[in-house]
Amino acid sequence: DNAVPNQFSLTHVPSLSRVLEGLVPHRFDIALVDAALVNGAGAEAVNRIHTIDPGLAIVVLNEGQQEDIASSLIRREVQDYIQRGQVESTGLGNVLRSAIRHQRLQQKLFYLAQYDPLTALPNRSLLRDRLAQALERARRTGKSLALLFLDLDRFKSINDSLGHESGDRLLKVVSERLVRCVRSEDTVARLGGDEFLMVLEHVSVGEHAALVAEKVLRALSSPVPVGGIEVTVSASIGVATYPRDGADADTLLKNADAAMYRSKEKGGNNYQFYESEMNARAYERLALESALRRALTAQEFLLEYQPIYSLQSDRVTALEALIRWKHQERGIIPPAEIIPLMEESGLIVQAGEWVLRTACRQYRSWRARGLPPLRLKLNFSARQLWQDELLGQITEILQEERVDPSCVVIEITEGTLMDNSEASLRRLRALRDMRLQISVDDFGTGYSSLTYLKDFPISSLKIDRSFVRDIPTDPDNSAIVRAIIDLAHHLRLRVIAEGVETQSQLDFLRQHGCEEAQGFFFSRPLPPQQVLLHCLGESAMVFE
């Protein structure tokens, strides 16, 4: 905040035209605009000032009868307005400083919403906007454009062996090299992880994109010093061009992604142009979807249960049900591979009912054999949450299996809450009225609004494993975890950490008041026949 001036040097300009003539970006911190100067064209005047210097804070000085003008302007780029003659010099200075702080905060929030904090490249949101504009220019001018979808080869092994700090350093170097491979009018964006996208405008179909792809591969081939050693990185690149490979952003992105996977299949460190036969991959997905449908009736699914521990008592307090697919040819297929396909196909609704009934039936069996009344956690997708018959279905299954609703926890992601917040609120309140508990999964992974924590009937938050992974060695992740725990406790919510794998992570979480945790440090997901022994053995050890 030291950058905000304590004293101001004022430059008086008598007319709007003189303002626009003399306005140089970054020369001024704030503009104090007389409403009379812009009367009749206030919005246009403010817009013109803001266009010349977007970082300039603006305060409107108005007469009482012009309050409607000032009020309308403050809904635009104006930070504040004040009444003439009602503010002393000291008060005016406070208003100006507050407006500057507000403007800088707005700029910072705008930047964080559109740029990747690690590499400073445009993020997925800004990329979509720029790609839409580039396509509109291409349609208007009849020019072509190309998309290059890049995925670093074997980055995970580098990240795992050298650590995430070294991995982040490598990503920064890669992003700098990618930017140097393109022109100023082109866009390089980071989609997330080790995925990047380049938008090349005004290209000759094939030729220019191929030259840039080759330039990228050469640029990445130079060793990068990270973690005390020199690392050589390469990339798999998929290329799709407009209009040949698609007329809209979604089609082009999908086809560039397909070409990138073809590049990976060829061993990486190469580029591939999209070809229509690459859609064979889509047919493979259809075949997998068909096999999923058969699996639901052929009883090829099974559930495993991961224990969740109290960090105060070291006892098992809950069990999370996790679906697995026992494929006849591929063996056990984990949820990360099958859940997205189930979501897309709608099979998640049928599978979700099976999970609910199977888990409740198993829970009743365990209780009959002496299991304490632990909480049973079930993951619900957005599709499941919105089905009309959900409440009746849950009521029927709980009654048939004689399971106390207060022992069942419905776990949903932040995205499920935010997609349709009003409808979400009504549905979750209905579930709460049935005495079910609601937990938010993967907390902190991308939704900035925290209003729902106050308004929604939530009982607990689960800290995403991406934050837990690097505590306590990463100060940023450590600060985030502490903040989530403090926030949850202020709202009287229980906190669960997932992905706990080390004693140091456990010690950090326990020190900062996290109530529960799960992860390989405690136990991997267990088949049903091992759960009872695991939990009763733990209880016996605690109570002996």
Side-chain angles (χ1 to χ4, degrees):
D1 204 35
N2 294 333
V4 177
N6 288 320
Q7 295 182 326
F8 294 89
S9 174
L10 300 178
T11 300
H12 178 262
V13 183
S15 67
L16 178 60
S17 60
R18 293 278 299 277
V19 170
L20 300 177
E21 289 173 4
L23 190 57
V24 178
H26 314 306
R27 178 184 173 189
F28 297 99
D29 294 300
I30 191 167
L32 181 60
V33 180
D34 193 331
L37 180 69
V38 297
N39 192 12
E44 179 185 355
V46 168
N47 285 340
R48 291 173 68 185
I49 293 172
H50 181 73
T51 299
I52 295 173
D53 188 356
L56 186 68
I58 302 175
V59 171
V60 171
L61 179 66
N62 72 295
E63 303 287 358
Q65 67 270 23
Q66 295 167 323
E67 187 168 352
D68 57 334
I69 298 173
S71 298
S72 66
L73 293 178
I74 203 170
R75 292 192 292 270
R76 296 175 179 270
E77 288 84 4
V78 173
Q79 277 67 55
D80 204 348
Y81 72 95
I82 54 178
Q83 300 284 0
R84 187 191 306 277
Q86 293 187 6
V87 179
E88 301 294 333
S89 58
T90 302
L92 177 60
N94 290 336
V95 170
L96 298 181
R97 279 189 288 273
S98 176
I100 292 172
R101 291 190 186 98
H102 179 73
Q103 170 68 358
R104 292 178 181 177
L105 177 60
Q106 288 295 106
Q107 285 187 294
K108 183 177 181 180
L109 292 174
F110 179 79
Y111 178 86
L112 292 174
Q114 296 201 312
Y115 289 87
D116 172 51
L118 176 65
T119 64
L121 294 177
N123 63 14
R124 188 183 294 269
S125 174
L126 182 55
L127 167 71
R128 298 288 301 205
D129 182 61
R130 290 193 179 178
L131 180 54
Q133 294 181 40
L135 282 169
E136 183 58 35
R137 285 190 290 270
R139 294 186 190 103
R140 189 171 59 249
T141 62
K143 302 287 186 179
S144 298
L145 66 80
L147 267 61
L148 274 64
F149 198 120
L150 292 83
D151 186 275
L152 300 185
D153 299 326
R154 295 169 291 280
F155 175 76
K156 186 178 185 302
S157 63
I158 296 174
N159 219 21
D160 292 344
S161 58
L162 299 181
H164 298 289
E165 184 176 344
S166 295
D168 288 348
R169 166 63 184 157
L170 180 60
L171 290 173
K172 289 180 182 179
V173 173
V174 166
S175 67
E176 292 165 1
R177 293 182 180 181
L178 294 180
V179 170
R180 290 197 293 266
C181 289
V182 300
R183 304 159 300 183
S184 59
E185 63 263 34
D186 299 325
T187 294
V188 180
R190 183 186 179 206
L191 300 181
D194 59 340
E195 291 184 339
F196 298 84
L197 195 88
M198 308 171 84
V199 181
L200 312 179
E201 297 194 57
H202 311 297
V203 300
S204 301
V205 176
E207 297 176 6
H208 186 90
L211 290 173
V212 173
E214 291 171 358
K215 189 175 181 180
V216 167
L217 294 176
R218 287 196 302 270
L220 295 181
S221 65
S222 299
V224 181
V226 292
I229 64 172
E230 289 193 333
V231 175
T232 300
V233 68
S234 62
S236 299
I237 305 175
V239 184
T241 60
Y242 168 86
R244 191 195 74 157
D245 301 324
D248 60 83
D250 289 336
T251 302
L252 288 169
L253 288 166
K254 180 190 71 173
N255 291 341
D257 184 42
M260 183 275 291
Y261 274 101
R262 179 60 176 160
S263 176
K264 281 215 175 286
E265 291 171 1
K266 287 182 169 290
N269 196 29
N270 71 92
Y271 63 91
Q272 298 290 317
F273 280 84
Y274 173 76
E275 300 294 343
S276 57
E277 56 264 25
M278 290 178 182
N279 284 323
R281 190 161 148 265
Y283 290 113
E284 291 178 10
R285 288 177 61 82
L286 286 174
L288 191 60
E289 178 184 330
S290 178
L292 270 173
R293 292 185 186 278
R294 291 195 301 271
L296 281 169
T297 56
Q299 299 183 347
E300 293 180 6
F301 288 108
L302 55 88
L303 291 181
E304 293 185 335
Y305 301 84
Q306 187 167 36
I308 297 172
Y309 278 76
S310 164
L311 298 190
Q312 283 70 47
S313 66
D314 291 330
R315 300 173 186 166
V316 178
T317 54
L319 295 163
E320 181 176 2
L322 300 168
I323 191 170
R324 304 284 191 262
W325 181 13
K326 191 175 181 181
H327 194 277
Q328 294 180 353
E329 298 175 359
R330 296 174 56 187
I332 300 295
I333 301 178
E337 189 170 344
I338 61 175
I339 295 298
L341 186 56
M342 284 183 169
E343 286 275 11
E344 292 174 15
S345 63
L347 289 172
I348 193 69
V349 173
Q350 186 179 351
E353 181 182 1
W354 177 86
V355 169
L356 176 63
R357 188 176 298 278
T358 303
C360 287
R361 184 170 297 157
Q362 183 63 68
Y363 183 78
R364 181 185 67 177
S365 172
W366 287 329
R367 292 283 287 127
R369 297 169 61 189
L371 185 76
L374 308 178
R375 299 191 308 279
L376 178 64
K377 306 195 78 171
L378 304 169
N379 294 283
F380 270 50
S381 72
R383 277 181 177 262
Q384 288 174 272
L385 197 64
W386 303 134
Q387 56 175 319
D388 294 335
E389 61 272 20
L390 176 66
L391 301 181
Q393 182 186 98
I394 293 175
T395 299
E396 177 186 337
I397 291 175
L398 293 181
Q399 289 177 350
E400 286 181 0
E401 303 302 336
R402 299 193 295 279
V403 173
D404 184 347
S406 65
C407 293
V408 177
V409 182
I410 303 299
E411 199 161 85
I412 55 179
T413 64
E414 283 185 285
T416 300
L417 289 178
M418 301 303 293
D419 283 344
N420 191 344
S421 57
E422 285 299 321
S424 299
L425 180 58
R426 291 193 297 270
R427 178 53 55 94
L428 295 184
R429 283 176 175 170
L431 292 172
R432 178 200 57 190
D433 292 342
M434 294 168 59
R435 297 194 299 125
L436 298 165
Q437 299 181 53
I438 311 296
S439 180
V440 178
D441 194 11
D442 300 336
F443 183 76
T445 55
Y447 289 85
S448 57
S449 175
L450 300 178
T451 304
Y452 65 85
L453 292 183
K454 175 175 64 71
D455 296 336
F456 283 60
I458 298 167
S459 60
S460 60
L461 303 178
K462 180 179 283 187
I463 304 175
D464 186 70
R465 66 180 65 247
S466 63
F467 299 121
V468 174
R469 180 182 59 203
D470 294 327
I471 60 171
T473 57
D474 185 321
D476 291 335
N477 277 359
S478 298
I480 290 172
V481 170
R482 287 197 303 270
I484 292 174
I485 294 172
D486 290 342
L487 173 66
H489 288 169
H490 280 302
L491 295 172
R492 298 181 297 279
L493 302 177
R494 189 169 58 252
V495 185
I496 305 105
E498 67 176 351
V500 178
E501 298 183 359
T502 67
Q503 183 68 50
S504 60
Q505 293 169 346
L506 176 61
D507 293 341
F508 179 92
L509 294 166
R510 186 174 276 144
Q511 176 187 351
H512 292 283
C514 180
E515 284 86 359
E516 295 176 317
Q518 68 187 105
F520 290 175
F521 182 83
F522 301 101
S523 172
R524 291 178 177 271
L526 302 170
Q529 60 271 24
Q530 293 184 18
V531 168
L532 200 61
L533 178 62
H534 182 92
C535 294
L536 290 181
E538 191 70 22
S539 298
M541 189 166 56
V542 170
F543 291 109
E544 64 180 358

